[in-house]
Amino acid sequence: EAPLVESGGGEVQPGDSLTLSCAASGFTFVKFYMTWFRSSPGKEREGVAGFVISSGGTVYADSVKGRFTISRDNAKNTVYLEMNNLKPDDTAMYYCAAGIPKNYGAILLSRSYNDWGQGTQVTVSS
């Protein structure tokens, strides 16, 4: 069984909203940073949203700040990404990842994570 399974992707129009889910299993969920990334052809994998466990806060890429919200339900071993006011530039495969970044600056870096889901596609098009 895959430890991370994303769902909720789809094709939407600009300005629409989507909420992605990532269900985790096989590890102690509360001990790990759960972070959302995205990748699209010709672009590097981008860290989109993550948690700052030490403070209880969150961190976002500038490109999604104010539009995306990450949350987690530890009882359900699930992390969510609520995406509002979607833009064509948000079109990508979205992945969740589990790991323990070394510091705050590493939270949105893909090299901080060892476990990845299979991804869910989000397409924003008119």
Side-chain angles (χ1 to χ4, degrees):
E1 181 179 4
L4 299 172
V5 180
E6 301 95 336
S7 61
E11 185 168 352
V12 297
Q13 295 185 338
D16 284 353
S17 299
L18 275 177
T19 297
L20 308 181
S21 300
C22 173
S25 62
F27 60 95
T28 306
F29 183 76
V30 296
K31 292 185 177 180
F32 285 80
Y33 284 71
M34 300 295 297
T35 302
W36 285 97
F37 291 82
R38 65 185 182 186
S39 64
S40 57
K43 295 182 180 180
E44 290 187 7
R45 183 168 293 189
E46 176 187 25
V48 174
F51 294 98
V52 185
I53 291 181
S54 59
S55 67
T58 52
V59 58
Y60 297 93
D62 288 343
S63 57
V64 306
K65 205 171 290 184
R67 300 187 298 121
F68 289 13
T69 302
I70 189 171
S71 61
R72 63 192 291 166
D73 185 336
N74 289 334
K76 296 182 178 180
N77 284 5
T78 301
V79 61
Y80 304 95
L81 184 67
E82 179 183 349
M83 306 183 294
N84 297 312
N85 190 22
L86 282 161
K87 303 176 181 180
D89 281 350
D90 296 319
T91 295
M93 185 72 81
Y94 283 73
Y95 301 89
C96 66
I100 303 178
K102 292 182 178 180
N103 50 51
Y104 176 87
I107 291 174
L108 294 183
L109 298 181
S110 58
R111 65 173 181 262
S112 298
Y113 300 86
N114 294 320
D115 294 304
W116 296 80
Q118 83 291 345
T120 186
Q121 178 69 37
V122 173
T123 302
V124 186
S125 173
S126 56

